[in-house]
Amino acid sequence: MRVLGIESSCDETAVAIVQDDGTILANVIRSQVAAHQPYGGVVPEIAARAHIEWMEPVLEQALKKSSLTLNEVDAIAVTAGPGLIGGVIVGVMTAKALASIYQKPLIAVNHLEAHALTARLTHHVSYPYLLLLVSGGHFIYAVVEGVGRYRLLGKTLDDALGEAFDKCAKMMELPYPGGPYIERLAKEGNPLAFDFPCPMLGVKGCDVSFSGLKTAVRYAIRTLIGNGNPLTDKQKADIAASFQRAVVTILSQRSKSAIDMAREQGLACPTLVVAGGVAANQAIGAALRDVAAQQAMDFIAPPPALCTDNAAMIAWVGVERYQAGLIDHLDVEPKARWPLA
Ligand code: KG4
Ligand code: ZN
């Protein structure tokens, strides 16, 4: 069977077609980054209008790439939340129209579940597994027991990690989204140049907090530019490397705690999976791979292009939900908020 997936919950308009064996027949992504860059972040109104403009051409392109017609797909899956509501509405209305015209089952997908199950599409990992979901809007540790079955172990008390990357990048006047720029700069900097704090490390459980780290970066920058000069490239690289080192320390320790918590709760998992946009970061991936190896666990990070927002992951959840008989009605509502567990 084949499922067509639609994603429009943030700043990517995307349509993909995925087969039940995990073959990606089309995966078209139209990024709006250029439209939002002047504002240093996603502007919901601009995003919603851009989704309206791009949805149809992106859909056409996906069908063309796969050499399929809408009659030849078996179901329509769409991100129904959480996300920027204007964009989510555009996707859901498009999916409802297609489902009703072509008489196909409609599957409303939680965007977080799509990130969470990407490793099943790319690596056929079996349930249960321990998931670290790190994106621009979310940070959670959870045990994934099956489709729709999540046990939440930990979360962020303030910012998501992608958000912390983006805000630190903004403070250094790097373009949006800043995560990839920080990673690139960090390679040239000294990770020991600044002794940034690693909040929550001694605290029981695996919750995280990034606001203290962000504030420390702000103060360091303020001190450096106190004399009125802009940051030099060397200073930016050192800040990026030191920030990333703190993040890696936090994630290594908190992931170990999450593994311990899962074991204590009788939810031992053979595999650690990282997902979401920040999982594209190679330094973070390497650190998590080490943690998993020390705990005799396998480690999986989907390829970067499937870690950041895309519609192949939405279509894949469509496959899994369809197989589990989890079909939605045409009256399903778009949701701005929709927790995973
Ligand atoms: O999953 P995603 O595409 O969108 C959300 O659902 O949030 O994640 C986007 C986030 C942004 O904050 C971006 O800066 C971050 O992922 N990101 C990275 C890297 N690539 C993307 N953060 C750190 N290092 C990277 N290489
Ligand atoms: Zn996402």
Side-chain angles (χ1 to χ4, degrees):
M1 68 161 308
R2 306 175 190 116
V3 176
L4 180 132
I6 298 174
E7 159 62 33
S8 57
S9 66
C10 192
D11 58 348
E12 262 96 26
T13 313
V15 176
I17 301 169
V18 171
Q19 212 159 267
D20 56 357
D21 63 358
T23 308
I24 299 173
L25 301 170
N27 185 22
V28 180
I29 303 174
R30 164 79 203 190
S31 169
Q32 305 173 2
V33 161
H36 300 288
Q37 230 156 25
Y39 306 93
V42 179
V43 183
E45 171 86 18
I46 293 176
R49 288 174 187 273
H51 286 304
I52 292 172
E53 186 182 345
W54 286 103
M55 189 56 77
E56 208 183 325
V58 168
L59 172 65
E60 292 287 340
Q61 219 179 317
L63 290 167
K64 204 168 156 206
K65 276 238 165 87
S66 65
S67 307
L68 292 170
T69 65
L70 278 158
N71 282 315
E72 293 169 304
V73 303
D74 298 288
I76 310 287
V78 61
T79 300
L84 300 173
I85 196 65
V88 177
I89 289 172
V90 174
V92 169
M93 294 314 292
T94 305
K96 285 184 181 184
L98 296 178
S100 97
I101 293 165
Y102 292 91
Q103 295 288 299
K104 305 288 178 185
L106 176 72
I107 299 156
V109 174
N110 181 317
H111 181 88
L112 303 180
E113 175 155 72
H115 280 302
L117 302 191
T118 302
R120 288 185 44 84
L121 164 64
T122 58
H123 292 75
H124 307 287
V125 59
S126 4
Y127 296 122
Y129 53 90
L130 180 61
L131 169 76
L132 167 57
L133 172 50
V134 269
S135 70
H138 304 274
F139 184 106
I140 55 172
Y141 282 108
V143 173
V144 182
E145 296 184 294
V147 186
R149 290 173 52 216
Y150 299 88
R151 300 266 204 116
L152 191 65
L153 298 176
K155 60 185 183 309
T156 177
L157 303 181
D158 38 60
D159 286 351
L161 185 50
E163 207 177 343
F165 265 95
D166 295 343
K167 285 178 180 168
C168 286
K170 197 172 180 180
M171 289 182 225
M172 293 194 275
E173 296 177 349
L174 299 172
Y176 173 84
Y181 291 92
I182 295 222
E183 178 172 22
R184 218 170 301 151
L185 268 178
K187 291 195 176 110
E188 295 148 29
N190 173 8
L192 301 173
F194 297 90
D195 188 19
F196 291 139
C198 298
M200 304 287 291
L201 277 208
V203 180
K204 198 170 165 350
C206 57
D207 286 345
V208 293
S209 159
F210 296 109
S211 65
L213 172 57
K214 204 178 59 191
T215 306
V217 171
R218 187 182 304 282
Y219 284 144
I221 292 173
R222 203 175 284 175
T223 306
L224 290 170
I225 62 174
N227 53 10
N229 293 325
L231 290 176
T232 63
D233 288 349
K234 167 86 175 80
Q235 286 170 332
K236 285 184 187 176
D238 285 348
I239 292 168
S242 303
F243 168 79
Q244 193 169 277
R245 179 184 63 99
V247 166
V248 162
T249 306
I250 294 167
L251 292 186
S252 298
Q253 197 279 340
R254 296 277 89 181
S255 300
K256 165 73 172 64
S257 292
I259 294 165
D260 290 345
M261 268 180 88
R263 286 178 180 159
E264 281 160 21
Q265 294 180 21
L267 301 167
C269 299
T271 310
L272 173 64
V273 170
V274 64
V278 185
N281 185 295
Q282 303 293 308
I284 290 174
L288 295 173
R289 184 177 295 281
D290 284 349
V291 173
Q294 282 158 19
Q295 299 301 315
M297 291 169 76
D298 290 331
F299 174 71
I300 292 173
L306 292 174
C307 283
T308 47
D309 286 348
N310 64 86
M313 66 180 188
I314 308 302
W316 177 255
V317 174
V319 168
E320 292 220 30
R321 291 202 153 247
Y322 185 91
Q323 287 171 341
L326 300 167
I327 307 297
D328 291 281
H329 294 287
L330 279 179
D331 62 357
V332 69
E333 289 193 4
K335 303 178 190 67
R337 289 175 184 279
W338 187 359
L340 197 53

